[in-house]
Amino acid sequence: MRRRADSTGPPRAADFAGLERDRVEKPDGYAAAGIPVHLLVDREACSVTVFTEPEKGTYSSATTRPFGAVVELPEPTGFALDTEKLKEYAD
């Protein structure tokens, strides 16, 4: 997701179709497209989930951590994401 340089607050998805879509349909669609890493920020659960290893239309690996944890994003992303700031935006 892109964020304009002058924007404030956390980046937000333009699509608010519902939790089921964000938690199930989108990851499956991204896996089917071969997207190697998908990050789900779940404000309701106060957690982030990293989906990896797409195989046959689904991710074979998913790791969930609470807001505040440092989350390792594997290659090709390849960096550590500090999620402490996300606590401020939890529902």
Side-chain angles (χ1 to χ4, degrees):
M1 175 180 337
R2 294 183 186 248
R3 193 170 126 172
R4 293 189 359 213
D6 63 346
S7 67
T8 59
R12 294 182 180 251
D15 181 358
F16 296 101
L19 296 175
E20 178 71 13
R21 184 167 182 208
D22 287 342
R23 292 177 179 154
V24 178
E25 293 176 25
K26 286 182 182 181
D28 287 350
Y30 297 154
I35 295 172
V37 179
H38 169 58
L39 177 67
L40 171 66
V41 177
D42 188 332
R43 291 176 49 205
E44 183 178 88
C46 298
S47 66
V48 293
T49 301
V50 180
F51 296 92
T52 59
E53 301 174 27
E55 285 182 16
K56 300 177 184 173
T58 190
Y59 287 104
S60 62
S61 177
T63 303
T64 301
R65 298 288 183 260
F67 286 177
V70 174
V71 178
E72 297 291 332
L73 299 172
E75 295 297 333
T77 309
F79 68 90
L81 176 65
D82 182 351
T83 65
E84 183 67 30
K85 186 87 172 157
L86 294 176
K87 290 179 180 180
E88 296 176 24
Y89 304 102
D91 285 340

